[in-house]
Every structure is written in structure tokens, then in C-alpha cells.
């Protein structure tokens, strides 16, 4: 009996699983709010230069830009009725006295700290610093969770996100705000890592995919909640505080969650694991089954997993053989391009000129059919084909935005929403595909490296947007090209549909060898059929 079958016998598919899913899923709603929060807290309101202190000396007129609208970063150096030499008339200067913002626009960090014109790049920098927190948090907290357990890291991450998110709401300066946002990203990484592991721990193998999708839909629901909160709460500080306070409650509720059974067994805490299993069995009405379970049975059924865990594995193992090297390179590129392109669209809602709240609802809503269609595609078409198609379609949509005029806003929005849906599906496919490609002995390491590349991509995306100051089309060229490159790399990955999970590196090599042989056999048969019959010599039997 495997460990999963042992858990299935005594403690799976009952009221505990439902409550466990809810307790893990509710914070994911808030996590989605934090990931996309700057769409609203960093919205750029309509603005123009503030007139100088001596503006009462005469009327001031704003210079007009090439788009026919008033300049946002320049003003005339003198009043329009000033008597000046011809070479001085029409002279412009930067906004030396700050900016005036539309009072009807929502309050944001952009208006509070003047993150416009030459300081515009600081807005994108703030989002990159938040993503850097997620990246570094993954590297640090992943190792700590292996040492101290999944539950303590999850509990501390809830508290860290609650405290740092609330601190960001009271930040007096922009540098202080970015420090707190970095800590928010750090905490979110700990929540993600622990939730992914604990989420599938207490269900049967056949229910794991369903439970993973269920928790994924909590994130999708969070994308619906955020625009509603932002509409009701137009002040950025109050909005920041509103999405952070609930994590204090999640911190308290997390004490009810049990620790990972596998971690307890692998850490030599088998007695505590047995006690937890019996408590969950009793909660699910299987008290008698729980009593039948013994410490010796747990140790017997986890011998293989303990042996695999004790075998020290490193990142170098992912490059040990040619097949693993190719898989690691292609998967890293696919993960990077997905995170890179996804956040270019998810955080670029403001660029499409439609109502910000409605557009965010549409961007969040597209995830529902996208994940459903992706689930069907990977089940019938396969992982390899689905992943490549999703990234190639997303790259095509992003590149198409370059050629669609700015006044065709509806078409631009449709392309962006479709591309974002493809990238959302790509994330869903990659999580499954990656776990099926890597053997058991390197699966955790492979998943960690893959997720790291997705975070690097999401951290880099806001910085690439700064290149729009050179030419407006440059960011979309970069985002679209990288997505196409990731889709092309996915074509070189083997298919895993209806294949057993590999246990060792040798399994992966043998699997690849059998795949090549199966492809060569039909080709050899076709080649033999094309060989022309040679005329036989007289007197010889042609048979």
C-alpha cells in the first residue's frame, strides 16, 4: 500500500476535506487582490503641469502634444499674453512646480508621490520590487519549510502579509512603501508554497486534480472581488488596508490546519503523524479505521518515500543527462515566458482606455472558461500540444496589438483578453506538465526551479514596460517574441498523457528511448515499402 492509499483508507473525501479546502482557499482570494492591487492603487489620473506661483500675472495655456491633447509633462515658460521676442514665444519648460490632477480620478500613489513624467518608471519599479519579494521568498521559505514544516511557514506568512500590507497603507514615503510591498511579496511566496503542498495532502489521488482546480478558482474569484472593492473604496490607503486586514484572521484560523503528514513522517515525527491521522479519521466518521492504524504500518508504507527523501538531490541533477537538460531548458523557457507575458497583460489593464473596473472584471472572468478549456485540451489533445498552442496564440495576440490602431480600442481589448486567457491556461497546464515530466527523485527541485523562472519573468515584465518611453511598440515586441519562443520550446518536450509518473532519472532516459524507437519503427516500415524490387538473375528463384 502506498502512502496515498494509506491516507485514502482512513481520512479522505469527507467533511474535513471540504473545510480544509475552504480554509486554504479563502486566503487565496486575498492573495489575488495583493498580486493585482497596483492596477488600482497605482492608477495614473489625468494630469497637467501646475502653473507657476506668478500665474496671476496673466493667463497660462498648456502646449499641445502630437496626439492633439494637452502636454502632461511640459508647460509654456511665459504667460500667453506676455510681450516677448519671437524666439522666446512658445518656449516650454518641465513641470517645475508639480502637477495638477483630475479631482474626479481615483486616489493613488501616483498622485500622492508624483510618479509621472520623469518619475513614471518608479511606478513600474514598485511592482518589480513586489515581484522580487515573491522570488526571494520562494528561495528562502522553500528551504525553511523543509526544515521547520509547512504549517509554521504558512502561519508566519499570513502574519507577515497582514503586517506588511497594513504597513504599506500607512507609508509616509515612496521608498517605505516599496519596502513593505517587498515584504508582502515575500509573504505571498510562503503562502503559495505551503498551500500547494497542503492542498493535495488529504485527498485521494483521483481527487487531487479537482481540488487543485477548486483552489485555483478561489484565485479567479479574487480577481472579481478586487474591482468591486476598488470601486467602493477609491482611496488607495484604505484599499490597501482593506485587503490586508483579513490576513490577521487567516493567521488565527491557520492554527486549526494540520501539519503535512508526509513532512512529519520524513522528519521522524511518526507518532504525531499517527495521532493526526486518527483525529482526521474521527472527524470524517472513520474512527474505527483510524484505531486500526498502527505506527509500524505507517513506517512500513513510507519506507520508499523516506529513502527517496534521504537521497540528497541538487539542481545539478536536472542537468545530469541530455534528456533532463533538454527538459529543464525548455520548461524554464516556457515558465519564464508565461510569467513574463501574463503580467504584461494582467497589469496593463489601464492601457486599454476602457472603464478600469469593468475591464478588470473581464480580465478576471476570462480565466473561468480558459481553465475549463485547458483542462479538456490536456485530457484529450495532450500536455505537449496544449502548452505549445497556448503560448503561440498568446504571443500572436500580443504582437497583433502593435498593428491595431489606438482608436480601435474594442479590438485591442479583445486581443488582450484572449491572450491573457491563453496565458492563464498555460499556467494551469505547466503545473501539471512539469510534475509529470520530472522523476520523483528530482520533482520537487524541478518544480522549484520552474516556479523561480516564472517569478523572474513576472519581476522583469514591469521593467520592460519602461522601454515604451523610447518607442511605444517596443514592449509588445519583446513580450510577444518571448511568448512565441516559449511556445516553440514547448514543442521539444515529450508528451506525458496516459503515461505513468517516472520514479528515477533512468526511467526518464528509458522513456525517451522508447519514444524515439516507436517513432523510428513506422518510418523504417515506410522506407522499406518504397525500396524498388530488383530484377532477378536468370535461373535464380526470385523467392
Amino acid at each position: 500500500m502506498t502512502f496515498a492509499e494509506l491516507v485514502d483508507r482512513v481520512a479522505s473525501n469527507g467533511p474535513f476535506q471540504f473545510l480544509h479546502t475552504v480554509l486554504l482557499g479563502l486566503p487565496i482570494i486575498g492573495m489575488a487582490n495583493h498580486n493585482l492591487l497596483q492596477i488600482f492603487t497605482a492608477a495614473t489620473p489625468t494630469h497637467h503641469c501646475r502653473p507657476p506661483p506668478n500665474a496671476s500675472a496673466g493667463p497660462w495655456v498648456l502646449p499641445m502634444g502630437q496626439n492633439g491633447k494637452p502636454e502632461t509633462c511640459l508647460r509654456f515658460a511665459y504667460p500667453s499674453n506676455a510681450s516677448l521676442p519671437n524666439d522666446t514665444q512658445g518656449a516650454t519648460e518641465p513641470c517645475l512646480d508639480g502637477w495638477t490632477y483630475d479631482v474626479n480620478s481615483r486616489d493613488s500613489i501616483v498622485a500622492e508621490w508624483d510618479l509621472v513624467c520623469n518619475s513614471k518608471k518608479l511606478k513600474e519599479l514598485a511592482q518589480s520590487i513586489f515581484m522580487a519579494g515573491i522570488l526571494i521568498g520562494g528561495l528562502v521559505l522553500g528551504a525553511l519549510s523543509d526544515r521547520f514544516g509547512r504549517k509554521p511557514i504558512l502561519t508566519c506568512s499570513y502574519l507577515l502579509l497582514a503586517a506588511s500590507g497594513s504597513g504599506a497603507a500607512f507609508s509616509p514615503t515612496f521608498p517605505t512603501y516599496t519596502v513593505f510591498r517587498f515584504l508582502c511579496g515575500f509573504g505571498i511566496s510562503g503562502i503559495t508554497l505551503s498551500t500547494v503542498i497542503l492542498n493535495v495532502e488529504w485527498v485521494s489521488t483521483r481527487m487531487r486534480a479537482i481540488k487543485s482546480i477548486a483552489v485555483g478558482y478561489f484565485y479567479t474569484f479574487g480577481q472579481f472581488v478586487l474591482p468591486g472593492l476598488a470601486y467602493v473604496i477609491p482611496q488607495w490607503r484604505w484599499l490597501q488596508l482593506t485587503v490586508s486586514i483579513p490576513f490577521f484572521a487567516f493567521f488565527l484560523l491557520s492554527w486549526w490546519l494540520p501539519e503535512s503528514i508526509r513532512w512529519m513522517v520524513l522528519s521522524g515525527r511518526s507518532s504525531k503523524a499517527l495521532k493526526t491521522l486518527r483525529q482526521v479519521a474521527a472527524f470524517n466518521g472513520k474512527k474505527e479505521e483510524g484505531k486500526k492504524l498502527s505506527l509500524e504500518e505507517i513506517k512500513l508504507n513510507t519506507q520508499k518515500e523516506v529513502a527517496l527523501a534521504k537521497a540528497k538531490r541538487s539542481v545539478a541533477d536536472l542537468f545530469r543527462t541530455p534528456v533532463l537538460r533538454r527538459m529543464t531548458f525548455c520548461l524554464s523557457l516556457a515558465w519564464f515566458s508565461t510569467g513574463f507575458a501574463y503580467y504584461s497583460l494582467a497589469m496593463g489593464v489601464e492601457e486599454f482606455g476602457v472603464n478600469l473596473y469593468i475591464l478588470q472584471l473581464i480580465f478576471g472572468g476570462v480565466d473561468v472558461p480558459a481553465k475549463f478549456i485547458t483542462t479538456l485540451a490536456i485530457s484529450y489533445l495532450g500536455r505537449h500540444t496544449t502548452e505549445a498552442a497556448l503560448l503561440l496564440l498568446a504571443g500572436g495576440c500580443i504582437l497583433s496589438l502593435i498593428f491595431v490602431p489606438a482608436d480601435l480600442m474594442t479590438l485591442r481589448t479583445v486581443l488582450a483578453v484572449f491572450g491573457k486567457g491563453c496565458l492563464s491556461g498555460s499556467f494551469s497546464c505547466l503545473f501539471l506538465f512539469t510534475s509529470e515530466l520530472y522523476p520523483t527523485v528530482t520533482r520537487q527541485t524541478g518544480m522549484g526551479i520552474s516556479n523561480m523562472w516564472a517569478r523572474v519573468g513576472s519581476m522583469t515584465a514591469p521593467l520592460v514596460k519602461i522601454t515604451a518611453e523610447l518607442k511605444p511598440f517596443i514592449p509588445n515586441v519583446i513580450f510577444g517574441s518571448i511568448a512565441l519562443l516559449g511556445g516553440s520550446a514547448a514543442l521539444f518536450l515529450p508528451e506525458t498523457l496516459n503515461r505513468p509518473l517516472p520514479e528515477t532519472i533512468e526511467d526518464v532516459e528509458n522513456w525517451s528511448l522508447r519514444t524515439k524507437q516507436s517513432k523510428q519503427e513506422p518510418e523504417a516500415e515506410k522506407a522499406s515499402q518504397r525500396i524498388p524490387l530488383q530484377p532477378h538473375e536468370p535461373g535464380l528463384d526470385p523467392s
Side-chain angles (χ1 to χ4, degrees):
M1 184 183 295
T2 65
F3 186 76
E5 291 170 338
L6 180 67
V7 174
D8 188 21
R9 193 187 85 188
V10 299
S12 73
N13 303 338
F16 170 82
Q17 278 66 36
F18 175 78
L19 188 58
H20 191 253
T21 302
V22 172
L23 286 178
L24 288 174
L26 286 176
I28 300 299
I29 297 175
M31 198 177 75
N33 293 339
H34 274 278
N35 275 343
L36 304 173
L37 191 60
Q38 275 201 196
I39 293 175
F40 299 99
T41 60
T44 303
T46 304
H47 58 280
H48 58 78
C49 292
R50 182 180 289 122
N54 62 345
S56 57
W60 287 76
V61 180
L62 293 171
M64 303 300 288
Q66 295 180 351
N67 58 1
K69 297 180 180 179
E71 284 281 1
T72 58
C73 299
L74 294 173
R75 69 183 187 188
F76 285 122
Y78 303 98
S80 58
N81 63 349
S83 178
L84 300 167
N86 291 333
D87 59 345
T88 307
Q89 290 181 354
T92 59
E93 62 183 5
C95 302
L96 302 177
D97 298 288
W99 290 263
T100 298
Y101 297 94
D102 183 4
V103 295
N104 296 319
S105 300
R106 64 174 297 110
D107 177 40
S108 71
I109 63 171
V110 173
E112 180 154 343
W113 292 312
D114 289 334
L115 306 183
V116 292
C117 299
N118 290 336
S119 299
K120 183 179 179 181
K121 58 179 69 71
L122 294 178
K123 168 186 169 180
E124 306 297 346
L125 180 63
Q127 182 66 17
S128 280
I129 290 173
F130 169 73
M131 292 298 180
I134 296 178
L135 170 63
I136 297 174
L139 299 175
V140 174
L141 296 178
L144 290 178
S145 68
D146 289 339
R147 182 174 181 180
F148 298 107
R150 320 307 187 196
K151 180 182 174 179
I153 297 302
L154 181 65
T155 301
C156 292
S157 296
Y158 285 152
L159 182 60
L160 176 61
L161 183 55
S164 56
S166 301
F170 295 99
S171 299
T173 61
F174 178 72
T176 307
Y177 170 80
T178 57
V179 170
F180 279 121
R181 284 288 284 167
F182 174 87
L183 293 175
C184 285
F186 198 93
I188 283 175
S189 193
I191 294 171
T192 303
L193 287 170
S194 298
T195 300
V196 167
I197 295 172
L198 293 173
N199 181 45
V200 298
E201 178 88 2
W202 290 101
V203 290
S204 59
T205 304
R206 66 179 182 277
M207 291 294 292
R208 283 183 180 177
I210 296 174
K211 197 177 181 189
S212 296
I213 293 171
V215 171
Y217 273 115
F218 276 96
Y219 187 91
T220 300
F221 182 69
Q223 296 184 70
F224 288 113
V225 172
L226 180 60
L229 288 174
Y231 183 79
V232 175
I233 309 171
Q235 298 82 16
W236 79 266
R237 291 184 184 273
W238 283 107
L239 179 59
Q240 176 78 47
L241 190 62
T242 300
V243 300
S244 302
I245 289 295
F247 282 91
F248 284 110
F250 299 144
F251 164 72
L252 297 175
L253 288 173
S254 67
W255 290 96
W256 185 87
L257 291 169
E259 178 57 272
S260 165
I261 294 295
R262 280 184 174 83
W263 180 84
M264 285 192 284
V265 171
L266 297 177
S267 303
R269 295 171 172 84
S270 298
S271 299
K272 190 175 181 181
L274 175 62
K275 182 181 177 181
T276 304
L277 277 170
R278 286 175 173 173
Q279 288 174 341
V280 174
F283 192 92
N284 278 346
K286 296 182 179 180
K287 190 173 183 179
E288 294 303 319
E289 285 288 341
K291 286 182 178 180
K292 294 177 184 178
L293 195 61
S294 65
L295 194 60
E296 291 72 20
E297 188 177 2
I298 289 179
K299 290 181 179 180
L300 180 64
N301 286 297
T302 56
Q303 281 181 349
K304 185 177 180 180
E305 294 199 26
V306 171
L308 289 173
K310 287 182 178 179
K312 299 296 182 182
R313 297 292 176 179
S314 66
V315 176
D317 289 308
L318 302 180
F319 302 91
R320 180 176 294 179
T321 67
V323 175
L324 276 177
R325 283 196 292 271
R326 187 182 77 238
M327 279 171 38
T328 301
F329 175 77
C330 293
L331 282 172
S332 297
L333 192 52
W335 276 95
F336 175 84
S337 59
T338 300
F340 185 64
Y342 179 88
Y343 281 97
S344 74
L345 293 174
M347 299 304 298
V349 177
E350 191 179 4
E351 300 171 6
F352 296 97
V354 185
N355 183 288
L356 196 60
Y357 307 99
I358 295 176
L359 192 55
Q360 179 53 34
L361 283 174
I362 297 172
F363 264 61
V366 73
D367 282 10
V368 178
K371 289 179 179 178
F372 177 73
I373 293 171
T374 300
T375 303
L376 293 178
I378 61 179
S379 300
Y380 294 99
L381 299 179
R383 285 70 155 142
H384 159 274
T385 304
T386 301
E387 178 57 31
L390 289 170
L391 279 175
L392 292 174
L393 285 172
C397 287
I398 296 173
L399 289 175
S400 298
L401 292 172
I402 301 171
F403 306 102
V404 179
D407 54 343
L408 296 179
M409 198 56 66
T410 302
L411 180 56
R412 291 179 62 83
T413 303
V414 169
L415 288 171
V417 170
F418 183 78
K420 196 255 186 182
C422 289
L423 293 166
S424 177
S426 177
F427 267 125
S428 299
C429 182
L430 277 174
F431 271 108
L432 177 64
F433 199 14
T434 305
S435 65
E436 292 178 337
L437 282 171
Y438 282 118
T440 301
V441 293
T442 60
R443 187 168 295 129
Q444 193 65 27
T445 305
M447 287 294 293
I449 292 297
S450 298
N451 275 277
M452 183 196 74
W453 280 113
R455 295 183 184 113
V456 171
S458 61
M459 182 182 71
T460 310
L463 299 178
V464 171
K465 288 195 171 188
I466 298 174
T467 60
E469 295 180 6
L470 302 175
K471 292 290 183 180
F473 62 84
I474 291 180
N476 282 337
V477 170
I478 298 174
F479 290 130
S481 299
I482 294 296
L484 292 179
L485 190 61
S488 301
L491 292 171
F492 293 93
L493 292 169
E495 182 55 71
T496 61
L497 181 63
N498 298 326
R499 288 183 179 271
L501 292 178
E503 295 287 343
T504 64
I505 294 175
E506 290 72 22
D507 289 344
V508 176
E509 292 295 317
N510 294 334
W511 179 19
S512 176
L513 183 62
R514 286 195 299 269
T515 302
K516 286 182 180 179
Q517 289 175 346
S518 63
K519 289 181 178 179
Q520 289 173 355
E521 286 175 1
E523 292 177 1
E525 185 177 345
K526 289 179 182 179
S528 64
Q529 292 175 354
R530 290 195 298 267
I531 297 175
L533 294 175
Q534 299 295 326
H536 61 276
E537 296 181 12
L540 293 178
D541 188 346
S543 62

